[in-house]
Amino acid sequence: LIINFFSRFNQNFFKKTSTNISIFNKILITFITTLFCYLFFLTLPNLYDKSWVQKTLKSKLNEEFKVNFSLSSEISYAILPSPHFIIQNVTIFNDLSKNQKIADIKKLKIFISQKKFLNKNNIFIKDILIEEANFIFNKDNFNYLRDFINYKFNEKKINIKKSNIFFQDESKETLLIVKLSSANLFYEGKKLLNQIMIKGKIFNVPFSLNLNKNLISKSLKSDFK
């Protein structure tokens, strides 16, 4: 709508101005005007109320990804490389009533679709990126992790970068630290698989791990290198 308005404005403007304006300058003015309108359009989510953003994104994340995210109020917005919200200091819980923590996340990026900017109530999450997180695996959250893998993932990806996994014993002492350079979790609709692809280091030795959970046969296949 904004671009159409300025397009009509440009047409009227060019009709009323003298013919001394070159074709190149007319094209340049049109391009700059259109670009300005588009950039203004991309910044619309920055006008959303932060408390509304916090509440809405938490609800959508829990509903779509089946993960208990606890979002802080430290929320900002960026348009590059594509529109997304940045939330600092996020926590993932196993069971909110028992306060069992699974992860501390320094930075969570939630990428959203431009198509819903003019109707914020229909905000659409494309995928999420977790950066600089510490995941904790132990006896208390083993059942949660098992159930999480058995449930159908979302086709939208959960991407993880520059993070760590801490494996703990029953006394909560750390036995092993796995450094993650990248990890991707998503549902492969054509193959009916939950897929987890991980790259990282164990004792400074690089490794890759691919896990495929078949939701029909309930089989779990792994490829570890």
Side-chain angles (χ1 to χ4, degrees):
L1 291 174
I2 296 173
I3 292 175
N4 287 337
F5 169 78
F6 277 95
S7 296
R8 291 195 297 269
F9 170 79
N10 285 336
Q11 292 174 1
N12 294 330
F13 173 77
F14 292 146
K15 289 179 181 179
K16 295 178 181 179
T17 53
S18 65
T19 56
N20 293 330
I21 299 179
S22 67
I23 296 299
F24 173 78
N25 287 336
K26 291 180 180 180
I27 295 174
L28 183 61
I29 293 172
T30 302
F31 173 76
I32 293 175
T33 304
T34 304
L35 179 61
F36 173 79
C37 294
Y38 180 59
L39 291 176
F40 175 76
F41 172 75
L42 290 180
T43 61
L44 286 179
N46 206 35
L47 303 177
Y48 298 167
D49 180 70
K50 290 296 188 294
S51 60
W52 179 89
V53 172
Q54 180 185 13
K55 180 180 178 181
T56 301
L57 291 181
K58 180 180 185 299
S59 175
K60 284 187 171 292
L61 288 172
N62 291 353
E63 177 184 351
E64 295 182 16
F65 295 95
K66 310 302 181 187
V67 178
N68 293 320
F69 284 97
S70 177
L71 307 183
S72 74
S73 59
E74 301 176 66
I75 301 174
S76 58
Y77 174 75
I79 63 175
L80 295 176
S82 64
H84 63 279
F85 288 103
I86 305 170
I87 306 176
Q88 308 283 347
N89 301 319
V90 176
T91 304
I92 297 177
F93 287 101
N94 170 9
D95 187 333
L96 292 176
S97 63
K98 296 181 181 180
N99 201 34
Q100 294 175 349
K101 185 166 58 176
I102 290 181
D104 287 315
I105 303 170
K106 187 173 183 181
K107 187 182 298 183
L108 173 65
K109 295 182 178 180
I110 303 175
F111 293 86
I112 58 177
S113 171
Q114 304 175 28
K115 297 179 181 179
K116 305 296 183 180
F117 280 7
L118 295 178
N119 186 0
K120 69 175 186 178
N121 292 322
N122 289 328
I123 188 170
F124 182 84
I125 297 176
K126 295 169 63 178
D127 51 41
I128 63 176
L129 171 60
I130 295 172
E131 292 184 331
E132 300 179 61
N134 290 323
F135 295 90
I136 302 170
F137 291 170
N138 53 41
K139 182 180 179 181
D140 293 337
N141 59 34
F142 175 79
N143 289 335
Y144 173 86
L145 295 172
R146 181 194 60 194
D147 293 340
F148 177 73
I149 294 177
N150 288 331
Y151 288 134
K152 178 184 174 183
F153 289 175
N154 200 305
E155 292 185 2
K156 305 170 186 178
K157 286 186 178 182
I158 298 178
N159 301 308
I160 304 172
K161 291 184 178 180
K162 300 177 182 178
S163 299
N164 301 301
I165 298 177
F166 293 83
F167 289 92
Q168 297 179 341
D169 61 15
E170 293 185 358
S171 60
K172 303 300 175 62
E173 293 292 330
T174 300
L175 300 175
L176 175 67
I177 301 176
V178 177
K179 294 185 177 294
L180 296 180
S181 57
S182 67
N184 299 296
L185 294 78
F186 62 96
Y187 176 71
E188 175 55 65
K190 293 182 179 180
K191 299 179 180 179
L192 304 177
L193 297 175
N194 281 342
Q195 292 196 329
I196 302 176
M197 298 184 292
I198 298 174
K199 290 184 179 180
K201 288 184 177 181
I202 300 178
F203 302 116
N204 290 324
V205 178
F207 77 93
S208 66
L209 172 64
N210 293 334
L211 291 173
N212 295 324
K213 176 67 177 184
N214 190 303
L215 299 182
I216 303 300
S217 65
K218 305 300 181 181
S219 62
L220 179 64
K221 294 183 179 180
S222 64
D223 179 17
F224 181 81
K225 298 180 182 179

